[in-house]
Amino acid sequence: MAPATQAPVKNGEAPAAGDERDPAASRLHGFSRDELHGLLADMLLYRRFEEKAEEAYAIGKIGGFCHLHIGQEGLAAGSIKPLRADDLVITAYREHTQAIAKGIAPRAVMAELYGRVGGCSGGRGGSMHLFDTTVGFYGGHGIVGGQIPLGAGLAWAIRYRGGDQICVCFMGDAAVNQGAFLESLNMSAVWQLPVIYVVENNGYGMGTAFSRVSVTEMEARSGAYGIPAHTVNGQDVLETYRFFEELAERVRGGAGPQFVNAITYRFRGHSMSDPVSGTYRSKEEVEAHVQGEDPITILRDRLMGAGLLTQEELEAVDAEARTASDDAAEFADASPLPDPSTLYDHVYAEINPHGRLFLDGRPGAPGSGPEGGGRG
Amino acid sequence: MAPATQAPVKNGEAPAAGDERDPAASRLHGFSRDELHGLLADMLLYRRFEEKAEEAYAIGKIGGFCHLHIGQEGLAAGSIKPLRADDLVITAYREHTQAIAKGIAPRAVMAELYGRVGGCSGGRGGSMHLFDTTVGFYGGHGIVGGQIPLGAGLAWAIRYRGGDQICVCFMGDAAVNQGAFLESLNMSAVWQLPVIYVVENNGYGMGTAFSRVSVTEMEARSGAYGIPAHTVNGQDVLETYRFFEELAERVRGGAGPQFVNAITYRFRGHSMSDPVSGTYRSKEEVEAHVQGEDPITILRDRLMGAGLLTQEELEAVDAEARTASDDAAEFADASPLPDPSTLYDHVYAEINPHGRLFLDGRPGAPGSGPEGGGRG
Amino acid sequence: MGVRGLRGVARKAAAVAEITYREALNAAMCQEMDRDDSVFLLGEEVAEYDGAYKVSRGMLARYGDRRVVDSPISELGFAGLCVGAAMSGLRPICEFMTFNFSILALDQVINSAAKMLYMTNGQVPIPMVFRGPTGAALQLSAQHSQACESYYVHAPGVKLVTPATPADAKGLLAAAIRDDDPVAVMEGELLYNVRGEVPDEEYVIPLGVAEVKRPGNDVSIVTHGKMVHVALQAARALEREEIEAEVLDLRSLRPLDVDAILETVAKTNRVVYLEEGWPFAGVGAQIVSLIQDEAFDELDAPVLRVTQADVPMPYAKNLEQLAKPGVKAVVEACRKVLYMEVGIS
Amino acid sequence: MGVRGLRGVARKAAAVAEITYREALNAAMCQEMDRDDSVFLLGEEVAEYDGAYKVSRGMLARYGDRRVVDSPISELGFAGLCVGAAMSGLRPICEFMTFNFSILALDQVINSAAKMLYMTNGQVPIPMVFRGPTGAALQLSAQHSQACESYYVHAPGVKLVTPATPADAKGLLAAAIRDDDPVAVMEGELLYNVRGEVPDEEYVIPLGVAEVKRPGNDVSIVTHGKMVHVALQAARALEREEIEAEVLDLRSLRPLDVDAILETVAKTNRVVYLEEGWPFAGVGAQIVSLIQDEAFDELDAPVLRVTQADVPMPYAKNLEQLAKPGVKAVVEACRKVLYMEVGIS
Ligand SMILES: Cc1ncc(C[n+]2csc(CCOP(=O)(O)OP(=O)(O)O)c2C)c(N)n1
Ligand SMILES: Cc1ncc(C[n+]2csc(CCOP(=O)(O)OP(=O)(O)O)c2C)c(N)n1
Ligand SMILES: [Mg+2]
Ligand SMILES: [Mg+2]
């Protein structure tokens, strides 16, 4: 059985409020009230942002595949927020909130979903290929497992240059069945690369429960290469944050590659065309998770229980998240489509002065794009 | 350190003759005198056969890559001889002796090395691609790791048909770093296929010690998929035989996929163009193994020590092996080169009556082969 | 459509029904699984989920999980497993969710499936099918929008068919399953909902037989797969200018119906090759090479090619439209080989 | 050789030495590693073993194991790791022991390296090299004898060069390392021992500049890589019949020196394309397509192609020789485009 299905929260059960509240009141788990409100605001932003994207998709403003992270926001905030600005993140195609967490403006993410020039990939990448290297976000990759060797390579480059950054490489639970996983983890171990591989274990690869494609638990998958495995409850943003904070520093200090099984759950369908429940998981299962495992609700309740959040404050934070999401959508809508004359831009970095790079009868100079297809 | 380098014999140290001799004299480890002589004859045949191939290569009768198994014969005999005739074997490119062990005539193997029609692959496969499906030998594959999914597929077919055969899939120690290893072992575990994956752990992939490309021991590699790992001393043919005999029956009985780390050592260079020792292993290391870990010497000494083999008998067995090898070489030499008119045969099983299958301006009918190359 | 016929080889079926391309593929698989227990379907999401694109709907229920099998996301591994099963005589249908992902599996396609029969001297045929959609759908961006024909057709040993209509989908997939060689069946996500008449009963179209999907005397649009529909649209547009374009659907790229190509060249003397993929060493390049080699004197103009723009597929709607080979480009190419002024209509 | 010159772009070097192709590759890597710390070499056996074909001899000692790195046998993984390192600005040289094995890595080549710059809107260039031998050596059989150009050149985003001589090996590999795009450098196992004059000092040949390796007026043999030597042999054989063949070595397939192709077509009006790979959708198909499109009226005969026979490479010596494109086939093709009787010499 996939961990997320049977027992979504494996460890890190929320301790009673009394245990976790600092002696110095108005702190929880060592987080200040501002920090706690910040994490709540982050997650609410991710949630509202994606709900907005969902709306935009429904009315055709966003096309293609669109994989929502809703339900998994605790992991995005908890694993990325503790990182340094110059640490690197690379991930798969369910990455809107991770991109925002690492520092890409919601406007630039939304505009990318809209396929507009204001998007962080200029409208050419779309939902699955968000990039902004200035904030250390290296995409956004669509081939399941394809980002794993790339993540090893980013970590390689850090080590090669003698830097003290780390690379966090996310993947879905289904990606561990790709050969790239073995090859990358093994090389990372042999070369002791500063990389944390994080499985966002939402229990399913599309419609397939992890337990149907693995006889072992996720934690068993990294030992073959001598890489330590950790499990964290991704629905508990505070636990997740502390966990990654500590692990990142250990890796920064030379602890070598790490493997994290982050338990989470996807509240929506695999992509916009997949129903939320049906063939592979029951309505009840989804409902139970939405009720009991919503990372936002969990944090909200704890804050309120600890007297660190009022209803008014919550509403204000939420209103801000909605405003930012609306603003992102407005920005995206107003951003123009890419200039057709740029069709041939950025295929190559160097437009070589010799020979022809493009073999469709066009010399490849910007502005020479065809009207509907090339010519061999 | 690679197991084979540091401690070539991990377990199964030969017990004193007294321990292993059956109460009913003239038996050892439960093997009858005839069986023991048979195993000795098998290994000597493999050895003399490959020495003959070495000679033939030196004088240009054999071309291309030629990877000798010399030093690893204990494993070939010990793992394949206990199998049933209808069990399936698939392996990599260092497979001459495995092919003979499974039942391909030395003549047909040698003729294949010579590239002659009498070869088991009609001269088209060569050293790396020996095949004879009538004896259950499914090759002979040149892409490191390429045979692992194929082996899973053979086992799949057995299960699909409800048969009680098993498939033994061999690979080198370096092959476990290929993604195909993960994918195949995982699928085998999920579908409980009747397959034994055997690593011929000779400590090196070409010039690279296993310890330089893995931080874990070989035994650690299969647990990720819930597949039991076993270690066997491949230089001890009797131990190896008994081990595989038992394991094969367990798998036949439904025990599911197994992983065997068979410790062995290659006495020759990686291929004919690689010196026996030099950059990656010292002369002393090789010498120590040749002296102390030769599977043939080990069996000979035990038999002699147990009074089950005389010098004359040994010489007779060896003479037979040499005769068979000479005979194989003579057969190969006398076998004609493939008919040039067959160049286009066997690219497709069905020569479709419609359209053109071959795009070099030749309709693909046998006999229409070009003189040096095709035409687009 | 169907004007040129099947050279009398296909079984003529009486009853037809209008079904979708998706249903036709399903029907072909069921037809073959009913008659041969050695046929099974394996791939990601093919069983419990009914296929990512619902092509295998109902098949798990009908055939059980022995024959309709969900695999892990392990393209190299499960493609290789299918090749291995085929080595021992089974007839796997290996579904790639899309052929984009099959690039991960290409080593098993080329080094195992394509070369096996040859290097075993005929001992080990690989009677299997690789199938799934190829090429672009709508705004799926660079990594999910690749036409993969070139990768599958370059190496001898694999056959490749590209059904464009529901009838062809049923007939060609059935033939591919029966074929003793590895056959890639490249479908189209955008074709799955296309409806058309398909024979109800057993239906098999031999591989290697092209079909004139529309006759014409003035110019030949030769194409394959999804682009057949673009070609037909272009032909209708040209009709308004009184240009009669012939649309030849190759249907099978290996084997290739060279006679049909030469026939249409001889008829119109002017050819446009239309394909979804990139130009460099694309299928069209080979067709041009073939025509200039075997019908050099029949040509009144160079063969023009219409392809995807030689760029990775962009996400933005407008750029994607520009990058895809469209009706306008085909019409202009046709006008050009007719030495007419271009860019008016 | 070198008649056509480099259009004045390459740095003219004074001192030359006769060295092997292998040494020239080594010299190029050292030249670039000396000037740029971001360049490193990674692959199987490249360090302690000095390379499977000894191309990196001495480099571990010279640069240490930070920059000359032995990798596990994990083609997909280490190719991807190199792409990842390039994403962050390093300049990896990723050695494939041979390109045959790189089919396992093709997903990272195409879906990561080739498409990255485009889908990041120019943010993430991939300044790296994939290199190693391509094509057949001697009797290595089906899985070890494949010419891989088509797989690398089809997708836009990767460049591809195929040095045929030691000087080209040094100059083109150096240029490839300096280039900001992913460049595949396809060498030849049978070329490594070829000797030739190579400039001692810094030497870079710009990508996209073909070279006339032998001038001639009667017929053009256009080719690339190892086949340049077969073409030159054929030209010498033709000389005995008083036929002057021009041998144009493309050197770079992407970018492609179209001007040089059109020049030689205009000069001789008769072309044979010679390549080591298979015909279907091979490089030659594209060249034919290009010539017929852009020089339709210059041709006095169809462009003929000489390729590997359209079969997997057989092991047996005689079959292998038949399958490989050879001098005799080139000579016959040249005679044929000259409309001379074929099969006499
Ligand atoms: C190589 C490859 N195979 C198949 C797909 C199609 N596909 C996209 S996402 C997906 C499921 C992945 O599941 P998981 O890794 O668990 O991530 P999640 O979607 O749950 O975040 C599949 C099969 C793909 N994109 N790439
Ligand atoms: C995919 C692939 N990469 C590289 C090679 C070249 N190569 C052939 S054998 C070999 C070493 C394999 O070592 P191992 O698996 O330990 O087997 P052994 O040779 O020791 O029997 C290498 C690198 C290959 N054939 N295939
Ligand atoms: Mg998942
Ligand atoms: Mg080994």
Side-chain angles (χ1 to χ4, degrees):
Chain A
M1 248 315 194
T5 323
Q6 214 170 27
V9 178
K10 274 213 151 171
N11 51 19
E13 297 288 335
D19 298 337
E20 56 184 357
R21 200 163 348 147
D22 275 5
S26 84
R27 292 183 81 86
L28 201 64
H29 249 317
F31 292 96
S32 74
R33 184 191 170 93
D34 276 2
E35 287 168 338
L36 293 163
H37 282 211
L39 286 171
L40 183 68
D42 289 334
M43 293 196 296
L44 271 165
L45 172 61
Y46 309 157
R47 177 73 51 93
R48 300 309 172 211
F49 179 92
E50 288 210 307
E51 286 169 351
K52 196 79 205 170
E54 217 171 3
E55 266 176 59
Y57 194 93
I59 57 171
K61 297 263 182 196
I62 297 175
F65 289 150
C66 184
H67 309 87
L68 300 181
H69 208 230
I70 289 177
Q72 309 186 198
E73 298 95 339
L75 187 46
S79 63
I80 296 177
K81 285 292 168 190
L83 301 180
R84 272 187 3 203
D86 62 347
D87 287 334
L88 312 180
V89 166
I90 186 165
T91 183
Y93 47 81
R94 192 183 299 288
E95 89 282 34
H96 309 156
T97 70
Q98 296 169 331
I100 297 173
K102 192 67 178 72
I104 310 187
R107 285 181 163 197
V109 174
M110 192 67 87
E112 191 57 38
L113 306 193
Y114 276 57
R116 306 298 175 92
V117 280
C120 56
S121 305
R124 290 165 187 249
S127 163
M128 296 192 283
H129 306 302
L130 305 173
F131 283 85
D132 185 349
T133 60
T134 65
V135 301
F137 194 79
Y138 280 82
H141 300 269
I143 303 298
V144 168
Q147 78 280 16
I148 313 178
L150 300 175
L154 291 171
W156 168 276
I158 292 170
R159 207 201 54 158
Y160 188 87
R161 295 193 173 103
D164 70 342
Q165 304 104 288
I166 68 163
C167 173
V168 178
C169 176
F170 292 95
M171 67 195 82
D173 46 284
V176 305
N177 293 326
Q178 287 284 31
F181 179 82
L182 180 165
E183 299 185 9
S184 306
L185 267 73
N186 186 53
M187 291 188 298
S188 303
V190 168
W191 295 319
Q192 286 293 295
L193 303 181
V195 55
I196 303 178
Y197 295 104
V198 183
V199 170
E200 296 201 79
N201 192 347
N202 60 15
Y204 298 92
M206 229 156 169
T208 304
F210 185 67
S211 58
R212 292 210 294 127
V213 286
S214 179
V215 304
T216 54
E217 296 293 322
M218 187 59 77
E219 294 84 349
R221 290 303 185 100
S222 71
Y225 326 105
I227 296 183
H230 314 265
T231 293
V232 68
N233 173 12
Q235 305 310 86
D236 180 339
V237 69
L238 303 185
E239 175 198 332
T240 303
Y241 190 104
R242 287 294 179 233
F243 171 80
F244 275 96
E245 191 175 40
E246 199 253 335
L247 191 63
E249 289 321 302
R250 275 171 53 205
V251 172
R252 204 181 301 291
Q258 307 290 326
F259 179 67
V260 179
N261 173 30
I263 309 295
T264 186
Y265 197 81
R266 147 165 78 64
F267 289 3
R268 292 293 193 275
H270 168 72
S271 68
M272 295 302 297
S273 58
D274 178 48
V276 173
S277 60
T279 40
Y280 61 94
R281 58 181 193 181
S282 65
K283 214 174 152 169
E284 294 67 40
E285 179 188 311
V286 175
E287 212 33 59
H289 282 85
V290 171
Q291 290 309 320
E293 299 298 335
D294 185 326
I296 298 177
T297 314
I298 290 172
L299 180 62
R300 180 200 66 188
D301 290 352
R302 279 166 91 181
L303 294 191
M304 286 188 166
L308 291 167
L309 179 74
T310 65
Q311 182 63 29
E312 297 68 47
E313 285 171 329
L314 173 66
E315 277 163 24
V317 171
D318 196 22
E320 232 175 281
R322 288 179 196 274
T323 307
S325 304
D326 291 347
D327 169 70
E330 274 160 38
F331 171 83
D333 220 12
S335 179
L337 286 166
D339 186 331
S341 75
T342 64
L343 181 66
Y344 285 82
D345 291 359
H346 306 311
V347 181
Y348 292 95
E350 275 185 354
I351 299 304
N352 199 293
H354 307 285
R356 231 183 255 175
L357 276 171
F358 301 105
L359 265 285
D360 48 357
R362 287 177 185 76
S368 60
E371 298 266 72
R375 265 195 38 224
Chain B
M1 245 316 195
T5 324
Q6 217 172 25
V9 179
K10 276 210 147 168
N11 51 19
E13 298 289 333
D19 298 338
E20 58 183 356
R21 201 162 348 148
D22 275 7
S26 83
R27 292 183 81 87
L28 201 64
H29 250 317
F31 291 96
S32 74
R33 183 191 171 94
D34 276 2
E35 287 166 342
L36 293 163
H37 282 211
L39 285 171
L40 183 68
D42 289 334
M43 292 197 295
L44 270 166
L45 172 62
Y46 308 157
R47 178 72 51 91
R48 300 310 173 209
F49 178 92
E50 285 210 310
E51 285 169 353
K52 195 79 204 169
E54 216 172 3
E55 266 176 58
Y57 194 93
I59 56 170
K61 297 261 183 199
I62 297 175
F65 289 148
C66 184
H67 309 86
L68 300 181
H69 207 231
I70 289 178
Q72 308 185 198
E73 296 95 339
L75 187 46
S79 63
I80 296 176
K81 285 292 170 191
L83 301 180
R84 269 185 7 200
D86 62 346
D87 286 336
L88 311 180
V89 166
I90 186 167
T91 183
Y93 47 82
R94 192 182 299 288
E95 89 281 34
H96 309 158
T97 69
Q98 296 169 331
I100 297 173
K102 192 68 176 71
I104 310 188
R107 286 180 162 196
V109 175
M110 191 67 88
E112 191 56 39
L113 306 192
Y114 276 56
R116 306 299 176 91
V117 279
C120 57
S121 305
R124 288 165 188 248
S127 163
M128 297 191 284
H129 307 302
L130 305 174
F131 283 84
D132 186 350
T133 59
T134 64
V135 300
F137 194 78
Y138 279 83
H141 299 270
I143 303 298
V144 169
Q147 77 280 17
I148 313 179
L150 299 177
L154 292 172
W156 167 276
I158 292 170
R159 208 202 53 160
Y160 188 87
R161 295 193 173 102
D164 70 343
Q165 304 104 290
I166 68 164
C167 172
V168 178
C169 176
F170 292 95
M171 67 194 82
D173 45 286
V176 304
N177 293 325
Q178 287 284 31
F181 179 81
L182 179 165
E183 300 184 9
S184 306
L185 267 73
N186 186 54
M187 290 187 298
S188 302
V190 168
W191 294 320
Q192 286 294 296
L193 304 181
V195 56
I196 304 177
Y197 295 105
V198 183
V199 170
E200 296 202 79
N201 191 347
N202 59 16
Y204 298 93
M206 229 158 171
T208 304
F210 185 67
S211 58
R212 293 211 293 126
V213 287
S214 180
V215 303
T216 53
E217 297 293 323
M218 187 60 76
E219 294 84 348
R221 290 304 186 100
S222 71
Y225 325 104
I227 295 183
H230 313 265
T231 293
V232 68
N233 173 13
Q235 305 309 87
D236 181 340
V237 67
L238 302 186
E239 176 196 333
T240 302
Y241 190 104
R242 288 290 180 236
F243 170 80
F244 275 96
E245 190 175 40
E246 197 252 336
L247 191 64
E249 288 321 302
R250 275 172 51 205
V251 172
R252 204 180 302 290
Q258 306 290 324
F259 180 67
V260 179
N261 173 29
I263 309 296
T264 186
Y265 197 82
R266 142 165 82 64
F267 289 2
R268 294 292 195 274
H270 168 72
S271 69
M272 294 304 296
S273 59
D274 178 47
V276 173
S277 60
T279 41
Y280 61 92
R281 59 181 192 179
S282 66
K283 213 176 152 163
E284 293 67 42
E285 178 188 312
V286 176
E287 211 35 58
H289 281 86
V290 170
Q291 290 310 319
E293 298 300 335
D294 186 328
I296 297 176
T297 315
I298 290 173
L299 181 62
R300 179 200 67 188
D301 290 352
R302 280 167 91 182
L303 294 191
M304 285 186 164
L308 292 167
L309 179 73
T310 66
Q311 183 62 30
E312 296 68 49
E313 284 171 331
L314 174 66
E315 276 162 26
V317 171
D318 195 23
E320 231 175 280
R322 287 179 197 274
T323 307
S325 304
D326 290 347
D327 169 70
E330 275 160 38
F331 171 82
D333 220 13
S335 178
L337 287 166
D339 186 330
S341 74
T342 64
L343 181 65
Y344 285 82
D345 291 359
H346 306 311
V347 180
Y348 292 95
E350 272 186 354
I351 298 304
N352 199 293
H354 306 285
R356 232 184 253 175
L357 276 171
F358 300 105
L359 265 285
D360 48 358
R362 286 175 186 77
S368 61
E371 299 265 72
R375 262 193 41 222
Chain C
M1 288 205 203
V3 174
R4 194 157 161 279
L6 300 172
R7 299 211 186 123
V9 197
R11 314 176 61 128
K12 280 289 161 218
V16 296
E18 209 190 83
I19 60 173
T20 63
Y21 186 100
R22 170 186 291 114
E23 290 160 343
L25 293 169
N26 187 292
M29 290 193 284
C30 291
Q31 170 184 301
E32 298 307 308
M33 285 178 72
D34 284 342
R35 65 188 282 280
D36 184 351
D37 182 68
S38 67
V39 180
F40 67 93
L41 172 67
L42 189 147
E44 293 158 14
E45 307 292 345
V46 299
E48 292 201 2
Y49 199 72
D50 279 342
Y53 299 103
K54 307 298 172 196
V55 171
S56 49
R57 179 169 282 153
M59 288 177 62
L60 172 63
R62 184 157 167 181
Y63 300 103
D65 64 4
R66 170 172 167 268
R67 299 183 67 194
V68 181
V69 186
D70 281 328
S71 87
I73 307 185
S74 308
E75 277 80 4
L76 178 69
F78 74 72
L81 182 142
C82 287
V83 178
M87 287 175 79
S88 98
L90 296 183
R91 296 184 168 270
I93 304 171
C94 172
E95 175 174 314
F96 292 121
M97 193 175 287
T98 81
F99 269 98
N100 293 285
F101 314 139
S102 82
I103 300 180
L104 283 164
L106 208 60
D107 177 68
Q108 288 293 343
V109 174
I110 292 173
N111 277 316
S112 297
K115 297 175 180 172
M116 192 71 71
L117 186 72
Y118 198 77
M119 67 190 195
T120 63
N121 198 33
Q123 283 180 78
V124 187
I126 306 294
M128 69 175 290
V129 167
F130 300 103
R131 55 157 288 272
T134 189
L138 293 172
Q139 286 196 273
L140 299 188
S141 201
Q143 296 183 331
H144 281 70
S145 308
Q146 194 173 325
C148 293
E149 291 92 312
S150 275
Y151 301 107
Y152 277 76
V153 88
H154 182 52
V158 175
K159 295 171 178 170
L160 171 57
V161 297
T162 57
T165 65
D168 288 352
K170 181 171 180 188
L172 292 172
L173 177 52
I177 296 169
R178 288 187 194 184
D179 200 276
D180 283 339
D181 289 307
V183 184
V185 179
M186 296 200 177
E187 308 157 4
E189 196 183 322
L190 296 178
L191 292 174
Y192 288 139
N193 286 328
V194 168
R195 304 186 76 82
E197 294 201 332
V198 177
D200 265 343
E201 49 184 65
E202 193 171 315
Y203 186 59
V204 180
I205 299 174
L207 309 184
V209 182
E211 187 177 54
V212 173
K213 287 286 201 272
R214 181 191 197 280
N217 288 313
D218 298 329
V219 55
S220 304
I221 308 173
V222 186
T223 187
H224 68 269
K226 199 187 299 169
M227 288 300 111
V228 167
H229 301 277
V230 174
L232 289 170
Q233 274 181 273
R236 281 192 290 273
L238 287 162
E239 200 174 60
R240 277 177 247 126
E241 306 181 42
E242 318 227 311
I243 298 167
E244 285 304 330
E246 175 148 303
V247 175
L248 178 67
D249 174 9
L250 294 180
R251 297 205 293 198
S252 167
L253 298 178
R254 237 199 232 251
L256 183 69
D257 191 343
V258 176
D259 292 345
I261 296 172
L262 298 179
E263 264 175 49
T264 196
V265 174
K267 187 171 172 192
T268 67
N269 313 112
R270 297 157 198 280
V271 183
V272 170
Y273 197 86
L274 165 64
E275 72 184 307
E276 202 182 353
W278 290 306
F280 202 127
V283 173
Q286 180 60 38
I287 304 300
V288 171
S289 166
L290 179 103
I291 292 174
Q292 78 98 42
D293 191 21
E294 306 199 16
F296 189 63
D297 298 326
E298 304 272 11
L299 286 178
D300 288 344
V303 180
L304 286 190
R305 295 169 60 194
V306 179
T307 69
Q308 177 181 329
D310 200 10
V311 305
M313 189 62 82
Y315 168 73
K317 210 175 207 161
N318 63 332
L319 292 184
E320 187 190 41
Q321 232 149 26
L322 273 181
K324 284 175 168 179
V327 172
K328 198 170 156 209
V330 178
V331 167
E332 290 196 0
C334 288
R335 295 177 57 93
K336 202 161 168 201
V337 295
L338 286 158
Y339 296 113
M340 297 169 69
E341 253 174 89
V342 166
I344 299 176
S345 69
Chain D
M1 288 203 202
V3 174
R4 196 159 158 279
L6 301 173
R7 300 214 186 121
V9 197
R11 315 176 60 129
K12 280 287 162 219
V16 296
E18 210 191 83
I19 60 174
T20 63
Y21 186 99
R22 170 185 289 111
E23 289 160 345
L25 292 169
N26 186 291
M29 290 194 282
C30 291
Q31 169 185 301
E32 297 307 307
M33 284 178 72
D34 284 341
R35 65 188 283 279
D36 184 350
D37 183 66
S38 67
V39 180
F40 67 93
L41 173 67
L42 190 148
E44 293 159 14
E45 306 291 345
V46 299
E48 293 199 3
Y49 200 73
D50 279 342
Y53 298 103
K54 306 298 172 196
V55 171
S56 49
R57 180 168 281 152
M59 287 177 62
L60 172 63
R62 186 158 167 182
Y63 300 103
D65 64 3
R66 171 173 165 268
R67 299 182 68 194
V68 181
V69 186
D70 281 328
S71 86
I73 307 185
S74 308
E75 277 80 5
L76 178 70
F78 74 73
L81 182 143
C82 286
V83 178
M87 287 176 79
S88 99
L90 296 183
R91 295 184 169 271
I93 305 171
C94 171
E95 175 174 315
F96 292 122
M97 193 174 287
T98 80
F99 269 97
N100 293 287
F101 314 140
S102 83
I103 299 178
L104 283 164
L106 207 60
D107 177 68
Q108 288 292 342
V109 174
I110 291 174
N111 277 316
S112 297
K115 297 175 181 172
M116 191 71 71
L117 186 72
Y118 198 76
M119 67 190 195
T120 63
N121 198 33
Q123 283 180 80
V124 186
I126 305 295
M128 71 173 291
V129 167
F130 300 102
R131 53 158 288 272
T134 188
L138 293 172
Q139 286 195 271
L140 299 188
S141 202
Q143 295 183 332
H144 280 71
S145 307
Q146 194 173 325
C148 293
E149 290 92 313
S150 276
Y151 300 106
Y152 277 76
V153 90
H154 182 53
V158 176
K159 295 171 177 170
L160 172 57
V161 298
T162 56
T165 65
D168 288 352
K170 182 173 179 186
L172 291 172
L173 178 52
I177 296 169
R178 286 188 196 184
D179 201 276
D180 283 340
D181 289 307
V183 185
V185 180
M186 296 201 177
E187 308 157 4
E189 196 183 323
L190 296 177
L191 291 174
Y192 287 139
N193 285 327
V194 168
R195 304 187 75 83
E197 294 201 332
V198 178
D200 265 343
E201 49 183 65
E202 193 172 315
Y203 185 59
V204 180
I205 299 174
L207 308 184
V209 182
E211 188 178 53
V212 173
K213 288 286 201 274
R214 180 189 198 281
N217 289 313
D218 299 330
V219 57
S220 303
I221 308 173
V222 185
T223 186
H224 68 270
K226 197 186 301 169
M227 287 300 110
V228 167
H229 301 277
V230 173
L232 289 170
Q233 273 180 272
R236 281 192 291 273
L238 288 163
E239 199 174 59
R240 275 177 246 129
E241 307 179 40
E242 317 228 311
I243 298 168
E244 286 302 333
E246 174 147 304
V247 174
L248 178 67
D249 174 9
L250 294 179
R251 299 204 293 200
S252 168
L253 297 179
R254 243 200 226 246
L256 183 69
D257 192 343
V258 176
D259 292 346
I261 296 170
L262 298 179
E263 265 173 50
T264 197
V265 175
K267 189 172 171 189
T268 67
N269 314 112
R270 295 158 198 280
V271 184
V272 170
Y273 196 87
L274 166 63
E275 72 184 307
E276 201 183 353
W278 290 305
F280 202 127
V283 173
Q286 180 60 38
I287 303 300
V288 170
S289 164
L290 179 105
I291 292 174
Q292 78 97 43
D293 192 20
E294 305 199 18
F296 189 63
D297 298 327
E298 303 274 10
L299 286 178
D300 288 343
V303 180
L304 286 190
R305 295 169 61 193
V306 179
T307 69
Q308 177 183 329
D310 200 9
V311 305
M313 189 63 82
Y315 168 74
K317 210 176 206 159
N318 63 331
L319 292 185
E320 188 190 41
Q321 232 148 24
L322 273 183
K324 285 176 166 178
V327 172
K328 198 170 157 211
V330 179
V331 167
E332 290 196 1
C334 288
R335 295 176 57 92
K336 200 160 170 204
V337 294
L338 285 157
Y339 297 112
M340 298 168 67
E341 256 175 87
V342 167
I344 300 176
S345 70

